[in-house]
């Protein structure tokens, strides 16, 4: 049976923008080649970008992808995984 | 508002005007009201929303993903309607009846208008929801 994918992806785009000389959404959008509306949707957590855009965003700030995006596994799945790990131990 | 949203609003407006015009013409000129669907030709102007202005980005992966999903929704609605219409034909024309040629002509333009209208609405709703993911 295939594994469940209940995780969520969060990002630190807004914080990174402000840490980088208060970069505007438009400036970031132009740098990575998307519309400003896409940056707004990303910051609001309403849109999960492609891997290519994720790398472009990370490069725009000079950091790694995992410094921009974070994958959080949902509580149900996490507890299941912990339970199976405990069973193995 | 992105170029895709502008295009969706424009297309929705064209479809709405066309449907209203056709419905208004039916009592006046009967089957000649079919000509009202010619207004759908205005949809050909919608690509103008994607003209570049300087170095502005007018279309990106999120827009393309939303358009792709909206098209799937529109096709789904079209096929459900098409199958439903075909299955219900015996109720109107009987098992040995025949479908008028006029109805086929209306259904071609009607289906196109419905496909465009549903795709536009789905596009606008998806933008409100954020667009989901790039997949």
């Amino acid at each position: 049976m295939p594994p469940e994918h209940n995780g969520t992806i969060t990002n630190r785009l807004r914080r990174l923008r402000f840490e980088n000389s208060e970069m505007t959404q438009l400036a970031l959008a132009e740098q990575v080649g998307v519309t400003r509306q896409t940056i707004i949707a990303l910051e609001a957590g309403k849109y999960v970008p492609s891997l290519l855009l994720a790398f472009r965003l990370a490069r725009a700030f000079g950091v790694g992808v995992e410094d921009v995006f974070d994958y959080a596994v949902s509580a149900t799945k996490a507890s299941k995984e912990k339970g199976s790990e405990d069973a193995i131990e | 508002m992105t170029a895709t949203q502008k295009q969706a609003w424009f297309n929705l407006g064209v479809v709405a005007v066309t449907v209203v015009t056709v419905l208004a013409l039916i009592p006046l000129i009967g089957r000649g009201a079919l000509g009202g669907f010619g207004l759908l030709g205005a949809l050909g102007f919608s690509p103008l929303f994607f003209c570049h202005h300087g170095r502005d980005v007018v279309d990106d992966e999120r827009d393309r993903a939303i358009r792709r999903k909206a098209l799937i929704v529109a096709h789904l609605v079209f096929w459900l309607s098409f199958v439903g219409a075909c299955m219900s034909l015996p109720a109107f024309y009987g098992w040995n009846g025949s479908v008028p040629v006029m109805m086929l002509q209306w259904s071609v333009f009607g289906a196109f208008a419905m496909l465009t209208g549903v795709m536009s609405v789905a596009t606008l709703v998806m933008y409100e929801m954020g667009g989901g993911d790039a997949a």
Side-chain angles (χ1 to χ4, degrees):
Chain A
M1 203 171 153
E4 291 176 30
H5 298 286
N6 295 327
T8 53
I9 294 177
T10 55
N11 66 73
R12 301 178 192 86
L13 280 180
R14 192 185 296 267
R15 186 186 300 174
L16 285 164
R17 272 197 307 112
F18 282 100
E19 286 174 359
N20 281 267
S21 326
E22 295 193 4
M23 183 190 285
T24 62
Q25 290 174 331
L26 185 61
L28 178 61
E30 283 177 354
Q31 203 169 333
V32 298
V34 297
T35 60
R36 191 174 70 86
Q37 285 82 359
T38 296
I39 300 296
I40 294 169
L42 281 166
E43 289 187 354
K46 288 182 172 180
Y47 177 65
V48 178
S50 68
L51 199 54
L52 185 66
L53 180 56
F55 272 104
R56 277 192 199 147
L57 287 163
R59 293 284 157 84
F61 295 117
V63 297
V65 173
E66 293 208 352
D67 296 319
V68 182
F69 296 95
D70 192 31
Y71 176 67
V73 182
S74 69
T76 319
K77 195 187 174 198
S79 60
K80 274 184 192 171
E81 284 177 356
K82 190 173 184 308
S84 60
E85 281 171 14
D86 291 345
I88 292 166
E89 284 170 8
Chain B
M1 193 182 282
T2 65
T4 303
Q5 280 174 297
K6 288 176 188 169
Q7 185 192 37
W9 277 115
F10 176 77
N11 288 353
L12 196 58
V14 170
V15 169
V17 168
T18 303
V19 171
V20 169
T21 305
V22 169
L23 291 177
L25 287 175
I26 290 174
L28 301 173
I29 53 175
R31 66 178 61 176
L34 186 70
F37 280 113
L39 289 171
L40 288 174
L43 293 173
F45 291 109
S46 66
L48 293 175
F49 289 111
F50 292 91
C51 287
H52 279 269
H53 301 288
R55 45 194 276 251
D56 284 358
V57 178
V58 291
D59 191 49
D60 62 22
E61 63 168 46
R62 177 167 163 259
D63 299 314
R64 287 189 289 273
I66 286 176
R67 283 202 301 271
R68 192 170 59 242
K69 289 173 195 170
L71 187 62
I72 291 170
V73 171
H75 276 135
L76 183 72
V77 172
F78 166 75
W79 275 109
L80 286 174
S81 309
F82 180 70
V83 171
C86 289
M87 292 297 110
S88 62
L89 279 176
F92 298 102
Y93 298 101
W95 289 103
N96 295 315
S98 54
V99 179
V101 173
M102 188 68 194
M103 190 183 162
L104 291 176
Q105 290 180 320
W106 278 80
S107 63
V108 169
F109 290 108
F112 180 63
M114 186 183 74
L115 201 66
T116 308
V118 171
M119 189 179 167
S120 302
V121 171
T123 299
L124 294 169
V125 169
M126 282 182 206
Y127 269 105
E128 285 303 311
M129 292 165 64
D133 55 50

